[in-house]
Amino acid sequence: RNAMNFYCTNCWALVQESLKTCPVCGDDIAICQAQAGYVDKLIAALSHPEPGTPVRAAWMLGERREQKAVAELIRLVRESPDTVIVEAAVEALGKIDDERARETVSAALAHHFVRVRWRAEMAMTKLRQKKHPQ
């Protein structure tokens, strides 16, 4: 038995691996997968319903310093109810040298969850060091 789950990358409905079209939203799964590049797939994974997936995707996007992901990472920081995902998005934004990312990380210093504030402080420290190397 195959233990892997497959999801529509448009609506995140659980689908059978063999399906070419999503039965929920009608999206052509095969075409969507074939046309999307690696970074686009990582950005799409930030909205995945299984919480570990957005965390891993945020980490990879941060490691790659993907400017293209900034808007979606900011959306997660502002809207996600899952503080572990917010923490991962703040960390990723802290690795991306972008003014919008800096503003969001700075605002996260006042987040209600202590681990998000801690992650934001770590990110801001690294950003300051990059801006003013000793």
Side-chain angles (χ1 to χ4, degrees):
R1 176 163 154 77
N2 188 352
M4 185 176 284
N5 290 326
F6 293 87
Y7 296 89
C8 169
T9 55
N10 183 51
C11 71
W12 295 113
L14 191 59
V15 296
Q16 294 176 0
E17 178 182 10
S18 61
L19 289 180
K20 303 271 188 247
T21 304
C22 177
V24 176
C25 71
D27 197 43
D28 189 319
I29 298 167
I31 288 176
C32 187
Q33 284 297 308
Q35 290 178 344
Y38 182 67
V39 172
D40 293 324
K41 289 176 183 177
L42 286 175
I43 292 169
L46 294 172
S47 297
H48 196 280
E50 187 278 313
T53 300
V55 169
R56 288 187 299 276
W59 179 82
M60 286 186 263
L61 290 162
E63 289 297 305
R64 293 172 55 95
R65 281 39 173 193
E66 289 293 346
Q67 294 281 330
K68 189 175 181 181
V70 169
E72 187 62 18
L73 288 165
I74 289 171
R75 186 194 65 74
L76 282 179
V77 171
R78 292 181 179 160
E79 298 176 10
S80 178
D82 187 325
T83 54
V84 174
I85 292 173
V86 173
E87 184 181 344
V90 166
E91 180 178 20
L93 288 167
K95 294 176 182 177
I96 301 171
D97 197 11
D98 176 279
E99 187 58 36
R100 297 167 302 154
R102 286 176 183 263
E103 289 172 7
T104 302
V105 172
S106 180
L109 292 168
H111 195 275
H112 67 276
F113 191 62
V114 69
R115 287 193 49 93
V116 172
R117 292 193 308 268
W118 173 73
R119 187 65 67 188
E121 183 56 46
M122 287 178 46
M124 288 303 294
T125 299
K126 287 179 184 177
L127 288 169
R128 283 187 216 108
Q129 289 171 348
K130 279 171 93 174
K131 197 171 186 177
H132 304 290
Q134 296 180 2

